[in-house]
Amino acid sequence: MPRLMADYFYELDSAAKTGTQKIAWCTSVGPAEILRAMGFLVFFPENHGAALGATRMATDLLPVADARGYSPDICSYLRADIGAYLKGVTPLSKPYPGIETVPKPDVLVFNTNQCRDVQDWFGWYAEQMNVPMLGIHTHCGVNAVTSHHVRSIAVQMEAMIEPLQKIAGQKFDPDELKRVVALSRQCSDLWEKVLNTAANVPSPITFYDMTIHMAPAVVLRGTRQAVDYYRRLLSEIEERLADNVAAVEGERYRIYWEGMPIWGRLRDHAEMFAGLKASVLASTYCNSWVFSAFDPDDPFNSMARAYTELFIVRAEAYKEAYIKRMLEFFKIDGILYHEAKCCPNNSNTRYGMPQRLQSETGIPSLMIYGDLNDLRLLSDEQTKTNVEAFMEQLEETGG
Ligand code: SF4
């Protein structure tokens, strides 16, 4: 992983410094396949936002964006990232000596399938750096994904080709897009297999492991390197399964994490749960980079479908049915909902879902109030007390 990520970031840095290859910034579930197929190196500001959170640099940077008028109630990836830009810092500098800044883009490409914040975030950079911006506007609250939804998104993707050709300075090659979509599909299938190994008892992996291992699925999908990475990871996990190695020794409770990770507390939380013999082993979040609809023989329509079938795009009824399937598949004893203050899109706690799911499945749940990046919104003591009480509850109910 360190070598893979170093190669990825140094390649971007070198391209930005030498101008040898064009660079596109893309939202995490944006049309990365189109960009790769057109010869762009692809950088993902959300990945940078998560790194700002995990290194806890975000804490000092959020107020910088707040002072520019970005409300403390909106995306803390956006605010940390803009704060980092204004301060001229990046968490990439420490692990990758020589990288002093994020790679300057030639184009910014977003998809609003996850939220509206990405459009405002990229819009700010478009203005600051005087860089063209292209976007896909996706439906929200979708129950069944119909051919109407798919076509309306596919048309927007197709319309990107012409302006991208001009920026890339090269002609679009449909066969190259097929090749990239095929690689993305392989990456997705392997990533899904990795995640599904958590259905074993005991689970060989945890959510905390997977928040790290998901990086290639996010930033390198559509490449051979990502496919090779997950092949190797899967075979290592299969060895662990054969040797009956548990991610949490003495696994007693099997927990589903619903919502964003709290990046600045990954290690603390992994250790806290392991100490309680609780294996947090599955999540909606990590599953969000499973794109089973990708089909190289029908790239535009299948990308449109895959990027619209995402959990975050869907209606409450679909989401509930999805989580129920996950609870059963992973043999879950309890659910932890992370109510992230700045991301309503990834907080499924606000319209009665926890209560409905608990009454339908009998599986107890707990809400953790916090944020993905803004640690000022999290009480560690309160979280610990509540989690310990929740585990006692699971013990009493025979979870
Ligand atoms: S989905 Fe949430 S965390 Fe992600 S960019 Fe949008 S507001 Fe930020």
Side-chain angles (χ1 to χ4, degrees):
M1 169 70 83
R3 199 177 61 229
L4 192 64
M5 296 312 284
D7 288 349
Y8 166 71
F9 286 117
Y10 277 121
E11 188 181 32
L12 278 162
D13 189 56
S14 155
K17 283 173 177 159
T18 59
T20 43
Q21 206 170 343
K22 300 279 183 181
I23 294 171
W25 286 13
C26 184
T27 48
S28 65
V29 280
E33 290 71 22
I34 297 177
L35 299 168
R36 284 199 196 291
M38 300 197 68
F40 289 98
L41 294 177
V42 191
F43 178 77
F44 296 85
E46 281 150 83
N47 173 254
H48 194 246
L52 288 163
T55 54
R56 301 180 198 175
M57 287 173 72
T59 310
D60 293 333
L61 299 169
L62 292 164
V64 179
D66 296 349
R68 284 286 184 114
Y70 288 97
S71 159
D73 288 337
I74 66 153
C75 180
S76 55
Y77 276 170
L78 174 161
R79 289 183 292 128
D81 193 56
I82 288 180
Y85 181 83
L86 289 169
K87 282 278 192 191
V89 293
T90 170
L92 301 177
S93 297
K94 200 169 166 204
Y96 310 119
I99 298 185
E100 275 139 30
T101 172
V102 291
K104 187 170 183 302
D106 295 286
V107 63
L108 303 154
V109 179
F110 67 82
N111 187 338
T112 60
N113 50 359
Q114 56 191 93
C115 63
R116 65 155 280 176
D117 297 53
V118 291
Q119 182 178 350
D120 297 88
W121 184 357
F122 280 32
W124 188 82
Y125 282 121
E127 210 173 289
Q128 287 291 313
M129 298 193 260
N130 193 24
V131 171
M133 177 169 80
L134 303 169
I136 294 167
H137 296 267
T138 293
H139 311 264
C140 61
V142 174
N143 204 2
V145 178
T146 64
S147 56
H148 165 74
H149 294 117
V150 171
R151 204 53 219 144
S152 69
I153 302 301
V155 163
Q156 294 183 61
M157 290 178 168
E158 285 159 4
M160 285 185 161
I161 299 299
E162 199 191 323
L164 284 174
Q165 285 188 138
K166 287 196 186 116
I167 298 163
Q170 71 176 57
K171 233 179 130 28
F172 170 64
D173 174 358
D175 289 335
E176 181 59 11
L177 181 61
K178 287 182 178 187
R179 191 187 72 82
V180 173
V181 170
L183 284 169
S184 266
R185 176 63 193 270
Q186 283 179 55
C187 171
S188 163
D189 289 352
L190 285 161
W191 176 233
E192 187 177 24
K193 279 186 186 159
V194 165
L195 294 172
N196 286 352
T197 62
N200 288 278
V201 182
S203 171
I205 57 172
T206 69
F207 166 63
Y208 299 100
D209 302 320
M210 293 305 113
T211 57
I212 307 301
H213 286 296
M214 66 189 259
V218 179
V219 303
L220 284 166
R221 63 178 184 277
T223 70
R224 170 65 52 200
Q225 293 96 307
V227 172
D228 292 344
Y229 182 81
Y230 289 119
R231 277 217 180 100
R232 183 156 173 199
L233 179 63
L234 186 60
S235 91
E236 284 185 22
I237 295 172
E238 280 164 354
E239 272 175 39
R240 286 168 75 96
L241 281 173
D243 297 339
N244 205 28
V245 178
V248 170
E249 225 175 289
E251 174 189 292
R252 200 169 167 81
Y253 314 110
R254 296 172 63 80
I255 308 294
Y256 190 83
W257 180 275
E258 170 44 50
M260 300 282 289
I262 301 172
W263 290 107
R265 290 288 183 268
L266 287 186
R267 176 177 290 274
D268 309 69
H269 285 182
E271 287 172 357
M272 171 176 71
F273 287 110
L276 294 164
K277 305 285 179 215
S279 190
V280 183
L281 53 88
S283 68
T284 309
Y285 182 70
C286 289
N287 267 45
S288 298
W289 281 268
V290 172
F291 304 106
S292 306
F294 282 155
D295 176 1
D297 290 330
D298 189 9
F300 286 105
N301 285 318
S302 72
M303 280 189 296
R305 178 169 287 283
Y307 287 124
T308 307
E309 280 182 346
L310 281 179
F311 181 90
I312 198 166
V313 184
R314 313 301 290 276
E316 207 78 348
Y318 172 88
K319 288 182 177 175
E320 281 177 33
Y322 174 90
I323 293 176
K324 270 199 230 165
R325 283 202 305 278
M326 294 294 115
L327 298 178
E328 201 172 322
F329 180 74
F330 288 107
K331 307 169 193 84
I332 296 296
D333 300 315
I335 314 173
L336 292 176
Y337 290 91
H338 174 205
E339 151 87 34
K341 170 91 170 6
C342 80
C343 182
N345 319 286
N346 271 315
S347 299
N348 289 296
T349 44
R350 301 182 184 186
Y351 297 90
M353 189 193 288
Q355 291 74 4
R356 283 194 296 276
L357 275 175
Q358 187 158 331
S359 83
E360 283 166 34
T361 64
I363 296 176
S365 61
L366 173 72
M367 265 184 239
I368 293 177
Y369 295 91
D371 191 60
L372 42 135
N373 266 7
D374 194 341
L375 295 177
R376 297 169 299 181
L377 300 169
L378 176 76
S379 162
D380 291 316
E381 267 316 302
Q382 191 70 57
T383 303
K384 190 165 178 282
T385 307
N386 290 349
V387 166
E388 284 171 357
F390 184 57
M391 294 308 150
E392 277 170 28
Q393 183 193 343
L394 291 184
E395 179 72 36
E396 280 162 19
T397 53

